[in-house]
Amino acid sequence: MNWNEHFPALLLIIPLFGAFLAPVCSLGGKMARNILLVAASFLTLVVAFLLWRSVLANGIQYYVMGGENFRLALPSGMALPVRIILEVDAFSAFMALCGSIAAFAGALFSVNYMNRFSGQSRFTSLYLLLATGMLGMMITGDLFNFFIFIEISSIASFGLIAFWRDKPSAIEASLKYTLVSQVGSMLILIAAGSLYGKYNALNMAAIGSSLTMGTMEKLALVFLVGSLAMKCGAFPMHMWLPDAYAEAPTGVTCLLVAVSQASLYGLMRVCFSIYGVAMGSTFVPWMIIIFGLASMFFGVSMAVVQHDIKRLMGYHSVSQVGYMLLGLGVGLLVLGDARGMADFGFTAIKGGVFHVFNYTMYKALLFLTAGALYYATGKKDLNEMGGLARRMPYTTFMFVIAAAAISGLPPFNGFVSKLLIYESSFAVHPSLAVVALLTSVLTLASFVKVFQTAFLGPEKNNLLHVQEVPPAMLLGMVVLTAAILGATLFPSWTLSNLVEPAARALVDQSGYIGAIVGGGM
Amino acid sequence: MGKVYTGFGYWDVGAWILFFAVAAFYILWLRSQGRSDYKKGTAQDEIYWSGNEVPEDGADLTVPASSAYWGFRKALEPFYKGLLGMHTGLPADVVGYYVLTVAVLAVFVLLV
């Protein structure tokens, strides 16, 4: 048996099996449950890596669920695919790899972090279920299936955000996310149902192959783009995000960063692979660019005035999502214009895709460092911290790396992706690059504040007992630090091996459609 | 390592790392030139805090995070009043902004 062919299914089966096994494993004690959490996350990461390599070597990989042959996308006599199909191109594989790294780091961190609390069996189940939902969103080729995976990840998120049920603020954050998320999911379902009603297909490639723009298609596009932009935290629909990120256990926040990227993935898949050049008007690309600019500027403006460390980082998430929306929106703007795409469009898409990787790594790391501070001091308010660099040198070191990377300081990886976005968006209009640059300056100002108030200055008398966090938590942070330093020291390798294939796959609508509708076996 | 070509120029991480290495070497050299014959336990060894006595607790001499960038916020007070006012935290507002945004987009997309 060739295992390569089964990687797409294995990517979902491993965390899903782990989620259902967690209550049973919990009977064996904390150690067994922690081993399950870390082992399932690690195996998922290994499969994601192997799948990514396999896709780079062999091209788009698909997997037909429930059919007589898992490689038969279009059975003879059928005009359209009827089964649930997982379709993994280089963009999906790249996203799954990013998400799996964050999930593994979060799992490692949670081993010690969650040790003080009860309900770990539920935590492990929901964590792995959230990872399953996230990965499912990234590799499914079916619109209804995408909705199902959104729901799986949303339901797991609701439980995890409200994990500390004795905290009213956690319940409130979860309630807000539940309300807005469910309204969003309903609109996604209406959009999928409308497209199914007209095109008799739920497969993304099949819909993309026959889509022509009409009133229904326009409304479906708005519902999909609006809902997925809300799920990834675009301004002004971002208000659930700082609350949810601040209240969830830190390992979960690390994974939620990657889950928000799964929504961004869905947004890009809809725009590039389903609608593509059929979109016609430039209104939607401009809408995405405006979402990006507003998210960048207003997100960072809110971050500057926060003094709860996790809320501050939550607002930075809104701001960073803006960079990706800007880069990918500029690329979408010139999707049908070969010259524009060659001049700056593809550079913008590369910048956006590279920023997805960078953002997932450094934002996940920043949340983990915030969690480490909370674990060590019991505080989230920066006003109550100070002088912790002496007590927590490793956490400080990793915080500085992540803060420099998110601020776009050279030579860190955040600078490279931002540079690509600045230069390409400048080609559309200089004001776009000005907003992006101003956002970077405010990001740096904000993280200088965090560094100065939490880590520098004299030690506070009530924090003299503080010690560095346990090794498993440090290890979780080390995984992400290594990814940041790797992308920093080897940007051309990262671009040519990770980013460019993903960006190329994203703009190749005919390749994505042809793999399924083109024949099957 | 290598260069990253952006289409408008290039980015060479090696050059920057070389720059940082040279800068770090210079800083360490400069530091090594400092006097090592100061007297420990005397006034030479104490923190200088604008001529005032240094408080025992660090909490008494640090600027809290909520006061950082006070001037920036004061200068942009009208902007921040609007922005913070928008973030009510009410669940109805969270859903309301989403529904309103989608509705506005739908109107524009159908008109364009």
Side-chain angles (χ1 to χ4, degrees):
Chain A
M1 188 164 82
N2 184 2
W3 280 98
N4 283 13
E5 294 172 345
H6 297 285
F7 285 149
L10 281 173
L11 191 66
L12 302 182
I13 288 168
I14 292 169
L16 189 63
F17 185 64
F20 286 107
L21 199 62
V24 181
C25 233
S26 295
L27 299 174
K30 273 186 182 178
M31 178 70 91
R33 189 176 47 230
N34 286 339
I35 288 172
L36 173 75
L37 177 64
V38 174
S41 308
F42 180 68
L43 275 177
T44 307
L45 172 58
V46 170
V47 171
F49 175 74
L50 293 173
L51 178 60
W52 168 72
R53 276 187 45 166
S54 170
V55 168
L56 285 198
N58 307 318
I60 294 176
Q61 203 163 330
Y62 57 90
Y63 197 91
V64 183
M65 311 287 271
E68 64 271 24
N69 186 325
F70 58 84
R71 294 282 295 162
L72 188 60
L74 203 59
S76 56
M78 304 294 284
L80 295 165
V82 291
R83 305 278 182 199
I84 292 169
I85 298 175
L86 305 177
E87 184 174 1
V88 189
D89 64 358
F91 184 52
S92 314
F94 164 81
M95 294 297 297
L97 187 61
C98 292
S100 304
I101 294 171
F104 176 57
L108 274 175
F109 188 87
S110 299
V111 168
N112 283 126
Y113 188 81
M114 298 304 294
N115 220 12
R116 298 170 174 178
F117 308 103
S118 59
Q120 287 182 45
S121 170
R122 287 194 301 276
F123 174 82
T124 307
S125 278
L126 289 173
Y127 187 91
L128 292 172
L129 209 54
L130 181 56
T132 309
M134 172 193 73
L135 293 167
M137 285 165 73
M138 289 166 173
I139 65 167
T140 185
D142 183 283
L143 204 52
F144 182 72
N145 213 224
F146 181 79
F147 164 76
I148 296 293
F149 282 117
I150 280 190
E151 285 300 284
I152 291 173
S153 66
S154 298
I155 290 164
S157 305
F158 305 153
L160 286 166
I161 293 165
F163 186 73
W164 287 312
R165 289 173 294 172
D166 53 338
K167 278 177 73 183
S169 53
I171 302 290
E172 187 189 331
S174 182
L175 174 72
K176 284 180 200 168
Y177 182 47
T178 306
L179 284 174
V180 73
S181 180
Q182 287 311 293
V183 178
S185 293
M186 285 306 107
L187 290 192
I188 291 173
L189 186 62
I190 290 169
S194 305
L195 291 169
Y196 177 63
K198 181 161 180 184
Y199 296 99
N200 202 23
L202 286 165
N203 185 276
M204 295 184 196
I207 297 171
S209 68
S210 50
L211 189 132
T212 48
M213 256 341 218
T215 304
M216 186 279 289
E217 288 80 359
K218 284 181 179 178
L219 275 178
L221 180 62
V222 168
F223 288 175
L224 288 166
V225 168
S227 303
L228 292 167
M230 177 275 291
K231 298 277 281 183
C232 67
F235 185 92
M237 305 173 285
H238 64 287
M239 291 171 192
W240 62 271
L241 190 147
D243 289 358
Y245 281 20
E247 296 303 332
T250 298
V252 175
T253 315
C254 172
L255 184 54
L256 282 176
V257 168
V259 173
S260 74
Q261 297 308 287
S263 297
L264 183 76
Y265 164 85
L267 176 58
M268 291 307 137
R269 192 55 88 196
V270 166
C271 290
F272 283 90
S273 303
I274 298 182
Y275 281 79
V277 286
M279 207 180 290
S281 147
T282 57
F283 180 76
V284 172
W286 271 110
M287 189 173 85
I288 292 173
I289 291 171
I290 290 166
F291 272 144
L293 293 173
S295 303
M296 276 193 288
F297 183 69
F298 294 117
V300 80
S301 298
M302 282 299 289
V304 168
V305 297
Q306 301 300 316
H307 51 91
D308 177 311
I309 188 166
K310 282 188 83 178
R311 282 186 73 80
L312 182 146
M313 289 180 182
Y315 278 110
H316 274 296
S317 291
V318 175
S319 169
Q320 294 298 306
V321 163
Y323 280 100
M324 292 167 247
L325 289 172
L326 174 61
L328 295 166
V330 167
L332 195 60
L333 192 64
V334 290
L335 192 61
D337 170 11
R339 181 156 184 191
M341 183 58 80
D343 284 350
F344 62 87
F346 193 63
T347 304
I349 292 171
K350 278 198 302 186
V353 172
F354 196 10
H355 209 70
V356 168
F357 176 82
N358 294 338
Y359 164 75
T360 309
M361 298 306 129
Y362 56 57
K363 180 51 75 174
L365 178 56
L366 283 168
F367 275 117
L368 293 191
T369 56
L373 290 177
Y374 180 63
Y375 182 88
T377 65
K379 299 178 191 311
K380 285 197 285 187
D381 190 342
L382 288 166
N383 286 338
E384 298 173 16
M385 297 184 203
L388 292 168
R390 296 174 190 83
R391 303 271 164 189
M392 304 172 72
Y394 301 118
T395 302
T396 308
F397 173 73
M398 289 188 270
F399 172 84
V400 169
I401 299 248
I406 195 174
S407 305
L409 287 186
F412 288 96
N413 55 343
F415 171 77
V416 184
S417 54
K418 285 183 180 182
L419 180 69
L420 296 171
I421 294 170
Y422 297 150
E423 294 197 345
S424 51
S425 57
F426 187 89
V428 176
H429 197 278
S431 61
L432 307 185
V434 169
V435 175
L437 281 163
L438 185 62
T439 301
S440 252
V441 173
L442 291 174
T443 305
L444 180 62
S446 177
F447 278 100
V448 165
K449 178 177 92 172
V450 177
F451 185 53
Q452 188 265 324
T453 51
F455 295 100
L456 300 184
E459 291 183 276
K460 298 198 171 177
N461 285 347
N462 60 342
L463 297 178
L464 294 176
H465 66 282
V466 169
Q467 291 179 327
E468 187 56 273
V469 292
M473 287 171 73
L474 285 176
L475 199 59
M477 292 190 269
V478 165
V479 169
L480 297 167
T481 309
I484 293 170
L485 291 178
T488 295
L489 293 174
F490 306 101
S492 53
W493 184 92
T494 311
L495 269 169
S496 52
N497 291 283
L498 261 176
V499 176
E500 270 189 27
R504 217 170 287 285
L506 184 59
V507 295
D508 184 13
Q509 188 191 17
S510 58
Y512 187 80
I513 291 172
I516 300 298
V517 182
M521 299 287 285
Chain B
M1 290 185 184
K3 289 177 181 172
V4 172
Y5 291 92
T6 63
F8 303 88
Y10 69 89
W11 156 249
D12 188 348
V13 68
W16 272 86
I17 287 173
L18 186 67
F19 163 75
F20 279 111
V22 170
F25 178 78
Y26 176 70
I27 290 163
L28 290 172
W29 173 80
L30 203 63
R31 190 173 185 275
S32 72
Q33 301 305 302
R35 292 178 61 170
S36 56
D37 59 343
Y38 69 93
K39 291 172 186 143
K40 282 187 181 172
T42 66
Q44 293 180 0
D45 196 18
E46 283 177 9
I47 299 167
Y48 179 73
W49 196 50
S50 303
N52 300 310
E53 199 175 319
V54 180
E56 282 288 312
D57 187 357
D60 296 335
L61 70 123
T62 49
V63 177
S66 52
S67 300
Y69 305 132
W70 175 85
F72 174 78
R73 274 187 295 154
K74 189 73 183 166
L76 297 175
E77 204 167 7
F79 168 71
Y80 271 111
K81 198 176 170 189
L83 194 60
L84 292 170
M86 183 185 165
H87 291 78
T88 58
L90 298 172
D93 287 357
V94 174
V95 179
Y97 275 110
Y98 163 62
V99 172
L100 188 68
T101 307
V102 173
V104 170
L105 290 181
V107 169
F108 277 104
V109 165
L110 290 178
L111 288 177
V112 173

